[in-house]
PDB file of all heavy atoms in Angstrom:
ATOM      1  N   MET A   1      -2.641   6.446 -13.171  1.00  0.00           N
ATOM      2  CA  MET A   1      -1.507   5.786 -12.514  1.00  0.00           C
ATOM      3  C   MET A   1      -1.292   6.355 -11.114  1.00  0.00           C
ATOM      4  O   MET A   1      -1.122   5.618 -10.128  1.00  0.00           O
ATOM      5  CB  MET A   1      -0.244   5.969 -13.356  1.00  0.00           C
ATOM      6  CG  MET A   1      -0.189   5.101 -14.602  1.00  0.00           C
ATOM      7  SD  MET A   1       0.272   3.397 -14.240  1.00  0.00           S
ATOM      8  CE  MET A   1       1.969   3.605 -13.750  1.00  0.00           C
ATOM      9  N   MET A   2      -1.295   7.695 -10.997  1.00  0.00           N
ATOM     10  CA  MET A   2      -1.093   8.304  -9.698  1.00  0.00           C
ATOM     11  C   MET A   2      -2.240   7.962  -8.732  1.00  0.00           C
ATOM     12  O   MET A   2      -2.014   7.672  -7.548  1.00  0.00           O
ATOM     13  CB  MET A   2      -0.983   9.829  -9.851  1.00  0.00           C
ATOM     14  CG  MET A   2       0.251  10.295 -10.606  1.00  0.00           C
ATOM     15  SD  MET A   2       1.809   9.771  -9.811  1.00  0.00           S
ATOM     16  CE  MET A   2       2.287   8.380 -10.860  1.00  0.00           C
ATOM     17  N   ALA A   3      -3.484   7.997  -9.275  1.00  0.00           N
ATOM     18  CA  ALA A   3      -4.623   7.655  -8.438  1.00  0.00           C
ATOM     19  C   ALA A   3      -4.531   6.206  -7.959  1.00  0.00           C
ATOM     20  O   ALA A   3      -4.880   5.883  -6.813  1.00  0.00           O
ATOM     21  CB  ALA A   3      -5.919   7.879  -9.212  1.00  0.00           C
ATOM     22  N   MET A   4      -4.035   5.341  -8.834  1.00  0.00           N
ATOM     23  CA  MET A   4      -3.905   3.937  -8.471  1.00  0.00           C
ATOM     24  C   MET A   4      -2.933   3.761  -7.305  1.00  0.00           C
ATOM     25  O   MET A   4      -3.219   3.035  -6.342  1.00  0.00           O
ATOM     26  CB  MET A   4      -3.423   3.142  -9.693  1.00  0.00           C
ATOM     27  CG  MET A   4      -3.182   1.654  -9.442  1.00  0.00           C
ATOM     28  SD  MET A   4      -2.633   0.806 -10.938  1.00  0.00           S
ATOM     29  CE  MET A   4      -1.000   1.518 -11.138  1.00  0.00           C
ATOM     30  N   PHE A   5      -1.821   4.444  -7.341  1.00  0.00           N
ATOM     31  CA  PHE A   5      -0.832   4.269  -6.284  1.00  0.00           C
ATOM     32  C   PHE A   5      -1.235   5.005  -4.994  1.00  0.00           C
ATOM     33  O   PHE A   5      -0.892   4.563  -3.886  1.00  0.00           O
ATOM     34  CB  PHE A   5       0.540   4.725  -6.771  1.00  0.00           C
ATOM     35  CG  PHE A   5       1.143   3.768  -7.757  1.00  0.00           C
ATOM     36  CD1 PHE A   5       1.342   4.139  -9.074  1.00  0.00           C
ATOM     37  CD2 PHE A   5       1.500   2.484  -7.372  1.00  0.00           C
ATOM     38  CE1 PHE A   5       1.882   3.260  -9.975  1.00  0.00           C
ATOM     39  CE2 PHE A   5       2.050   1.599  -8.268  1.00  0.00           C
ATOM     40  CZ  PHE A   5       2.237   1.975  -9.586  1.00  0.00           C
ATOM     41  N   VAL A   6      -1.956   6.119  -5.130  1.00  0.00           N
ATOM     42  CA  VAL A   6      -2.492   6.764  -3.926  1.00  0.00           C
ATOM     43  C   VAL A   6      -3.461   5.818  -3.224  1.00  0.00           C
ATOM     44  O   VAL A   6      -3.432   5.656  -1.988  1.00  0.00           O
ATOM     45  CB  VAL A   6      -3.179   8.096  -4.293  1.00  0.00           C
ATOM     46  CG1 VAL A   6      -3.982   8.630  -3.109  1.00  0.00           C
ATOM     47  CG2 VAL A   6      -2.151   9.124  -4.733  1.00  0.00           C
ATOM     48  N   GLN A   7      -4.316   5.189  -4.031  1.00  0.00           N
ATOM     49  CA  GLN A   7      -5.258   4.214  -3.488  1.00  0.00           C
ATOM     50  C   GLN A   7      -4.509   3.044  -2.849  1.00  0.00           C
ATOM     51  O   GLN A   7      -4.897   2.531  -1.786  1.00  0.00           O
ATOM     52  CB  GLN A   7      -6.165   3.720  -4.610  1.00  0.00           C
ATOM     53  CG  GLN A   7      -7.123   2.610  -4.212  1.00  0.00           C
ATOM     54  CD  GLN A   7      -7.939   2.138  -5.388  1.00  0.00           C
ATOM     55  OE1 GLN A   7      -9.019   2.663  -5.636  1.00  0.00           O
ATOM     56  NE2 GLN A   7      -7.431   1.166  -6.114  1.00  0.00           N
ATOM     57  N   ALA A   8      -3.401   2.625  -3.483  1.00  0.00           N
ATOM     58  CA  ALA A   8      -2.630   1.503  -2.947  1.00  0.00           C
ATOM     59  C   ALA A   8      -2.006   1.862  -1.601  1.00  0.00           C
ATOM     60  O   ALA A   8      -2.008   1.040  -0.664  1.00  0.00           O
ATOM     61  CB  ALA A   8      -1.539   1.115  -3.946  1.00  0.00           C
ATOM     62  N   PHE A   9      -1.482   3.085  -1.471  1.00  0.00           N
ATOM     63  CA  PHE A   9      -0.878   3.485  -0.197  1.00  0.00           C
ATOM     64  C   PHE A   9      -1.949   3.591   0.898  1.00  0.00           C
ATOM     65  O   PHE A   9      -1.710   3.246   2.062  1.00  0.00           O
ATOM     66  CB  PHE A   9      -0.136   4.814  -0.350  1.00  0.00           C
ATOM     67  CG  PHE A   9       1.274   4.647  -0.833  1.00  0.00           C
ATOM     68  CD1 PHE A   9       1.681   5.148  -2.060  1.00  0.00           C
ATOM     69  CD2 PHE A   9       2.202   3.960  -0.054  1.00  0.00           C
ATOM     70  CE1 PHE A   9       2.967   4.992  -2.501  1.00  0.00           C
ATOM     71  CE2 PHE A   9       3.504   3.798  -0.497  1.00  0.00           C
ATOM     72  CZ  PHE A   9       3.888   4.308  -1.726  1.00  0.00           C
ATOM     73  N   TRP A  10      -3.120   4.083   0.505  1.00  0.00           N
ATOM     74  CA  TRP A  10      -4.200   4.183   1.514  1.00  0.00           C
ATOM     75  C   TRP A  10      -4.599   2.796   2.013  1.00  0.00           C
ATOM     76  O   TRP A  10      -4.703   2.560   3.209  1.00  0.00           O
ATOM     77  CB  TRP A  10      -5.403   4.879   0.890  1.00  0.00           C
ATOM     78  CG  TRP A  10      -6.621   4.813   1.771  1.00  0.00           C
ATOM     79  CD1 TRP A  10      -6.913   5.608   2.842  1.00  0.00           C
ATOM     80  CD2 TRP A  10      -7.679   3.858   1.665  1.00  0.00           C
ATOM     81  NE1 TRP A  10      -8.092   5.227   3.421  1.00  0.00           N
ATOM     82  CE2 TRP A  10      -8.595   4.148   2.713  1.00  0.00           C
ATOM     83  CE3 TRP A  10      -7.961   2.797   0.810  1.00  0.00           C
ATOM     84  CZ2 TRP A  10      -9.753   3.408   2.919  1.00  0.00           C
ATOM     85  CZ3 TRP A  10      -9.109   2.068   0.997  1.00  0.00           C
ATOM     86  CH2 TRP A  10      -9.993   2.366   2.043  1.00  0.00           C
ATOM     87  N   PHE A  11      -4.790   1.861   1.056  1.00  0.00           N
ATOM     88  CA  PHE A  11      -5.189   0.520   1.469  1.00  0.00           C
ATOM     89  C   PHE A  11      -4.053  -0.179   2.209  1.00  0.00           C
ATOM     90  O   PHE A  11      -4.274  -0.934   3.168  1.00  0.00           O
ATOM     91  CB  PHE A  11      -5.600  -0.285   0.235  1.00  0.00           C
ATOM     92  CG  PHE A  11      -6.174  -1.632   0.559  1.00  0.00           C
ATOM     93  CD1 PHE A  11      -7.448  -1.757   1.099  1.00  0.00           C
ATOM     94  CD2 PHE A  11      -5.436  -2.793   0.354  1.00  0.00           C
ATOM     95  CE1 PHE A  11      -7.983  -3.003   1.406  1.00  0.00           C
ATOM     96  CE2 PHE A  11      -5.960  -4.035   0.663  1.00  0.00           C
ATOM     97  CZ  PHE A  11      -7.236  -4.145   1.181  1.00  0.00           C
ATOM     98  N   GLY A  12      -2.810   0.072   1.797  1.00  0.00           N
ATOM     99  CA  GLY A  12      -1.660  -0.525   2.478  1.00  0.00           C
ATOM    100  C   GLY A  12      -1.526  -0.038   3.903  1.00  0.00           C
ATOM    101  O   GLY A  12      -1.231  -0.824   4.826  1.00  0.00           O
ATOM    102  N   SER A  13      -1.748   1.280   4.112  1.00  0.00           N
ATOM    103  CA  SER A  13      -1.676   1.819   5.483  1.00  0.00           C
ATOM    104  C   SER A  13      -2.767   1.224   6.354  1.00  0.00           C
ATOM    105  O   SER A  13      -2.566   0.979   7.554  1.00  0.00           O
ATOM    106  CB  SER A  13      -1.776   3.341   5.443  1.00  0.00           C
ATOM    107  OG  SER A  13      -3.040   3.735   4.919  1.00  0.00           O
ATOM    108  N   LYS A  14      -3.933   0.973   5.763  1.00  0.00           N
ATOM    109  CA  LYS A  14      -5.027   0.354   6.520  1.00  0.00           C
ATOM    110  C   LYS A  14      -4.646  -1.063   6.943  1.00  0.00           C
ATOM    111  O   LYS A  14      -4.902  -1.475   8.097  1.00  0.00           O
ATOM    112  CB  LYS A  14      -6.276   0.319   5.649  1.00  0.00           C
ATOM    113  CG  LYS A  14      -7.505  -0.289   6.333  1.00  0.00           C
ATOM    114  CD  LYS A  14      -8.705  -0.227   5.417  1.00  0.00           C
ATOM    115  CE  LYS A  14      -9.925  -0.858   6.100  1.00  0.00           C
ATOM    116  NZ  LYS A  14      -9.714  -2.260   6.460  1.00  0.00           N
ATOM    117  N   LEU A  15      -4.003  -1.806   6.006  1.00  0.00           N
ATOM    118  CA  LEU A  15      -3.569  -3.162   6.353  1.00  0.00           C
ATOM    119  C   LEU A  15      -2.500  -3.143   7.436  1.00  0.00           C
ATOM    120  O   LEU A  15      -2.456  -4.021   8.309  1.00  0.00           O
ATOM    121  CB  LEU A  15      -3.046  -3.887   5.106  1.00  0.00           C
ATOM    122  CG  LEU A  15      -4.081  -4.215   4.019  1.00  0.00           C
ATOM    123  CD1 LEU A  15      -3.403  -4.867   2.820  1.00  0.00           C
ATOM    124  CD2 LEU A  15      -5.172  -5.131   4.571  1.00  0.00           C
ATOM    125  N   VAL A  16      -1.623  -2.129   7.408  1.00  0.00           N
ATOM    126  CA  VAL A  16      -0.571  -2.020   8.432  1.00  0.00           C
ATOM    127  C   VAL A  16      -1.197  -1.721   9.793  1.00  0.00           C
ATOM    128  O   VAL A  16      -0.797  -2.285  10.820  1.00  0.00           O
ATOM    129  CB  VAL A  16       0.455  -0.934   8.043  1.00  0.00           C
ATOM    130  CG1 VAL A  16       1.422  -0.671   9.192  1.00  0.00           C
ATOM    131  CG2 VAL A  16       1.228  -1.371   6.796  1.00  0.00           C
ATOM    132  N   ARG A  17      -2.210  -0.816   9.821  1.00  0.00           N
ATOM    133  CA  ARG A  17      -2.872  -0.499  11.090  1.00  0.00           C
ATOM    134  C   ARG A  17      -3.588  -1.722  11.659  1.00  0.00           C
ATOM    135  O   ARG A  17      -3.631  -1.923  12.872  1.00  0.00           O
ATOM    136  CB  ARG A  17      -3.880   0.641  10.888  1.00  0.00           C
ATOM    137  CG  ARG A  17      -3.248   2.008  10.699  1.00  0.00           C
ATOM    138  CD  ARG A  17      -4.274   3.112  10.899  1.00  0.00           C
ATOM    139  NE  ARG A  17      -5.465   2.919  10.050  1.00  0.00           N
ATOM    140  CZ  ARG A  17      -5.589   3.424   8.840  1.00  0.00           C
ATOM    141  NH1 ARG A  17      -4.592   4.140   8.309  1.00  0.00           N
ATOM    142  NH2 ARG A  17      -6.707   3.215   8.154  1.00  0.00           N
ATOM    143  N   ASP A  18      -4.140  -2.532  10.759  1.00  0.00           N
ATOM    144  CA  ASP A  18      -4.825  -3.745  11.210  1.00  0.00           C
ATOM    145  C   ASP A  18      -3.857  -4.854  11.604  1.00  0.00           C
ATOM    146  O   ASP A  18      -4.274  -5.888  12.141  1.00  0.00           O
ATOM    147  CB  ASP A  18      -5.762  -4.270  10.119  1.00  0.00           C
ATOM    148  CG  ASP A  18      -6.901  -3.295   9.827  1.00  0.00           C
ATOM    149  OD1 ASP A  18      -7.160  -2.423  10.689  1.00  0.00           O
ATOM    150  OD2 ASP A  18      -7.504  -3.389   8.737  1.00  0.00           O
ATOM    151  N   GLY A  19      -2.566  -4.651  11.330  1.00  0.00           N
ATOM    152  CA  GLY A  19      -1.563  -5.650  11.660  1.00  0.00           C
ATOM    153  C   GLY A  19      -1.525  -6.827  10.701  1.00  0.00           C
ATOM    154  O   GLY A  19      -0.921  -7.865  11.007  1.00  0.00           O
ATOM    155  N   SER A  20      -2.163  -6.673   9.525  1.00  0.00           N
ATOM    156  CA  SER A  20      -2.180  -7.781   8.557  1.00  0.00           C
ATOM    157  C   SER A  20      -0.828  -7.969   7.885  1.00  0.00           C
ATOM    158  O   SER A  20      -0.375  -9.101   7.650  1.00  0.00           O
ATOM    159  CB  SER A  20      -3.260  -7.537   7.488  1.00  0.00           C
ATOM    160  OG  SER A  20      -4.536  -7.430   8.088  1.00  0.00           O
ATOM    161  N   ILE A  21      -0.175  -6.850   7.537  1.00  0.00           N
ATOM    162  CA  ILE A  21       1.145  -6.907   6.881  1.00  0.00           C
ATOM    163  C   ILE A  21       2.027  -5.832   7.477  1.00  0.00           C
ATOM    164  O   ILE A  21       1.552  -4.933   8.181  1.00  0.00           O
ATOM    165  CB  ILE A  21       1.037  -6.727   5.349  1.00  0.00           C
ATOM    166  CG1 ILE A  21       0.370  -5.382   5.029  1.00  0.00           C
ATOM    167  CG2 ILE A  21       0.308  -7.889   4.690  1.00  0.00           C
ATOM    168  CD1 ILE A  21       0.335  -5.089   3.539  1.00  0.00           C
ATOM    169  N   SER A  22       3.317  -5.907   7.171  1.00  0.00           N
ATOM    170  CA  SER A  22       4.283  -4.926   7.661  1.00  0.00           C
ATOM    171  C   SER A  22       4.488  -3.824   6.635  1.00  0.00           C
ATOM    172  O   SER A  22       4.175  -3.999   5.450  1.00  0.00           O
ATOM    173  CB  SER A  22       5.617  -5.617   7.947  1.00  0.00           C
ATOM    174  OG  SER A  22       6.169  -6.120   6.736  1.00  0.00           O
ATOM    175  N   PRO A  23       5.014  -2.670   7.061  1.00  0.00           N
ATOM    176  CA  PRO A  23       5.282  -1.593   6.096  1.00  0.00           C
ATOM    177  C   PRO A  23       6.249  -2.027   4.988  1.00  0.00           C
ATOM    178  O   PRO A  23       6.122  -1.594   3.836  1.00  0.00           O
ATOM    179  CB  PRO A  23       5.894  -0.489   6.974  1.00  0.00           C
ATOM    180  CG  PRO A  23       5.332  -0.748   8.334  1.00  0.00           C
ATOM    181  CD  PRO A  23       5.230  -2.234   8.451  1.00  0.00           C
ATOM    182  N   GLY A  24       7.207  -2.879   5.335  1.00  0.00           N
ATOM    183  CA  GLY A  24       8.139  -3.360   4.318  1.00  0.00           C
ATOM    184  C   GLY A  24       7.435  -4.150   3.231  1.00  0.00           C
ATOM    185  O   GLY A  24       7.782  -4.054   2.033  1.00  0.00           O
ATOM    186  N   THR A  25       6.427  -4.953   3.632  1.00  0.00           N
ATOM    187  CA  THR A  25       5.676  -5.723   2.632  1.00  0.00           C
ATOM    188  C   THR A  25       4.898  -4.790   1.705  1.00  0.00           C
ATOM    189  O   THR A  25       4.807  -5.036   0.485  1.00  0.00           O
ATOM    190  CB  THR A  25       4.717  -6.690   3.337  1.00  0.00           C
ATOM    191  OG1 THR A  25       5.461  -7.549   4.192  1.00  0.00           O
ATOM    192  CG2 THR A  25       3.938  -7.511   2.323  1.00  0.00           C
ATOM    193  N   VAL A  26       4.340  -3.723   2.285  1.00  0.00           N
ATOM    194  CA  VAL A  26       3.615  -2.753   1.455  1.00  0.00           C
ATOM    195  C   VAL A  26       4.531  -2.166   0.392  1.00  0.00           C
ATOM    196  O   VAL A  26       4.165  -2.066  -0.791  1.00  0.00           O
ATOM    197  CB  VAL A  26       3.010  -1.643   2.336  1.00  0.00           C
ATOM    198  CG1 VAL A  26       2.403  -0.533   1.458  1.00  0.00           C
ATOM    199  CG2 VAL A  26       1.964  -2.209   3.267  1.00  0.00           C
ATOM    200  N   MET A  27       5.738  -1.752   0.798  1.00  0.00           N
ATOM    201  CA  MET A  27       6.685  -1.168  -0.159  1.00  0.00           C
ATOM    202  C   MET A  27       7.126  -2.196  -1.194  1.00  0.00           C
ATOM    203  O   MET A  27       7.287  -1.877  -2.385  1.00  0.00           O
ATOM    204  CB  MET A  27       7.893  -0.620   0.593  1.00  0.00           C
ATOM    205  CG  MET A  27       7.574   0.576   1.486  1.00  0.00           C
ATOM    206  SD  MET A  27       6.783   1.933   0.571  1.00  0.00           S
ATOM    207  CE  MET A  27       8.066   2.337  -0.611  1.00  0.00           C
ATOM    208  N   ALA A  28       7.307  -3.465  -0.739  1.00  0.00           N
ATOM    209  CA  ALA A  28       7.722  -4.498  -1.692  1.00  0.00           C
ATOM    210  C   ALA A  28       6.647  -4.729  -2.751  1.00  0.00           C
ATOM    211  O   ALA A  28       6.934  -4.817  -3.959  1.00  0.00           O
ATOM    212  CB  ALA A  28       8.027  -5.801  -0.936  1.00  0.00           C
ATOM    213  N   VAL A  29       5.389  -4.815  -2.324  1.00  0.00           N
ATOM    214  CA  VAL A  29       4.287  -5.007  -3.270  1.00  0.00           C
ATOM    215  C   VAL A  29       4.155  -3.795  -4.185  1.00  0.00           C
ATOM    216  O   VAL A  29       3.941  -3.927  -5.408  1.00  0.00           O
ATOM    217  CB  VAL A  29       2.973  -5.270  -2.509  1.00  0.00           C
ATOM    218  CG1 VAL A  29       1.790  -5.296  -3.472  1.00  0.00           C
ATOM    219  CG2 VAL A  29       3.057  -6.578  -1.743  1.00  0.00           C
ATOM    220  N   PHE A  30       4.295  -2.597  -3.585  1.00  0.00           N
ATOM    221  CA  PHE A  30       4.179  -1.367  -4.369  1.00  0.00           C
ATOM    222  C   PHE A  30       5.217  -1.342  -5.497  1.00  0.00           C
ATOM    223  O   PHE A  30       4.890  -1.107  -6.666  1.00  0.00           O
ATOM    224  CB  PHE A  30       4.354  -0.164  -3.447  1.00  0.00           C
ATOM    225  CG  PHE A  30       4.445   1.148  -4.183  1.00  0.00           C
ATOM    226  CD1 PHE A  30       3.307   1.794  -4.617  1.00  0.00           C
ATOM    227  CD2 PHE A  30       5.684   1.727  -4.436  1.00  0.00           C
ATOM    228  CE1 PHE A  30       3.392   2.989  -5.299  1.00  0.00           C
ATOM    229  CE2 PHE A  30       5.776   2.926  -5.114  1.00  0.00           C
ATOM    230  CZ  PHE A  30       4.633   3.563  -5.551  1.00  0.00           C
ATOM    231  N   TRP A  31       6.481  -1.578  -5.161  1.00  0.00           N
ATOM    232  CA  TRP A  31       7.539  -1.524  -6.176  1.00  0.00           C
ATOM    233  C   TRP A  31       7.430  -2.668  -7.186  1.00  0.00           C
ATOM    234  O   TRP A  31       7.735  -2.490  -8.379  1.00  0.00           O
ATOM    235  CB  TRP A  31       8.911  -1.542  -5.505  1.00  0.00           C
ATOM    236  CG  TRP A  31       9.280  -0.218  -4.912  1.00  0.00           C
ATOM    237  CD1 TRP A  31       9.351   0.106  -3.589  1.00  0.00           C
ATOM    238  CD2 TRP A  31       9.599   0.960  -5.649  1.00  0.00           C
ATOM    239  NE1 TRP A  31       9.695   1.431  -3.424  1.00  0.00           N
ATOM    240  CE2 TRP A  31       9.859   1.984  -4.690  1.00  0.00           C
ATOM    241  CE3 TRP A  31       9.677   1.280  -6.989  1.00  0.00           C
ATOM    242  CZ2 TRP A  31      10.193   3.268  -5.050  1.00  0.00           C
ATOM    243  CZ3 TRP A  31      10.019   2.576  -7.351  1.00  0.00           C
ATOM    244  CH2 TRP A  31      10.274   3.550  -6.381  1.00  0.00           C
ATOM    245  N   ALA A  32       6.994  -3.831  -6.736  1.00  0.00           N
ATOM    246  CA  ALA A  32       6.814  -4.942  -7.670  1.00  0.00           C
ATOM    247  C   ALA A  32       5.739  -4.600  -8.702  1.00  0.00           C
ATOM    248  O   ALA A  32       5.914  -4.834  -9.913  1.00  0.00           O
ATOM    249  CB  ALA A  32       6.450  -6.210  -6.917  1.00  0.00           C
ATOM    250  N   CYS A  33       4.630  -4.033  -8.258  1.00  0.00           N
ATOM    251  CA  CYS A  33       3.565  -3.651  -9.188  1.00  0.00           C
ATOM    252  C   CYS A  33       4.000  -2.497 -10.087  1.00  0.00           C
ATOM    253  O   CYS A  33       3.637  -2.436 -11.277  1.00  0.00           O
ATOM    254  CB  CYS A  33       2.305  -3.256  -8.415  1.00  0.00           C
ATOM    255  SG  CYS A  33       1.509  -4.645  -7.587  1.00  0.00           S
TER     256      CYS A  33
END
């Protein structure tokens, strides 16, 4: 579980750097999952 969410934050930060999604969207997806 912890590895899954660490992986999710890493991939989410990559999407934020690429400008694909906002940090708020990352947190929303994270909490929904």
Side-chain angles (χ1 to χ4, degrees):
M1 285 282 291
M2 294 301 102
M4 177 179 69
F5 287 114
V6 168
Q7 175 183 270
F9 274 116
W10 170 81
F11 186 73
S13 63
K14 181 178 179 300
L15 293 177
V16 171
R17 286 196 307 269
D18 295 341
S20 301
I21 58 175
S22 65
T25 302
V26 173
M27 293 305 298
V29 173
F30 172 81
W31 283 109
C33 291

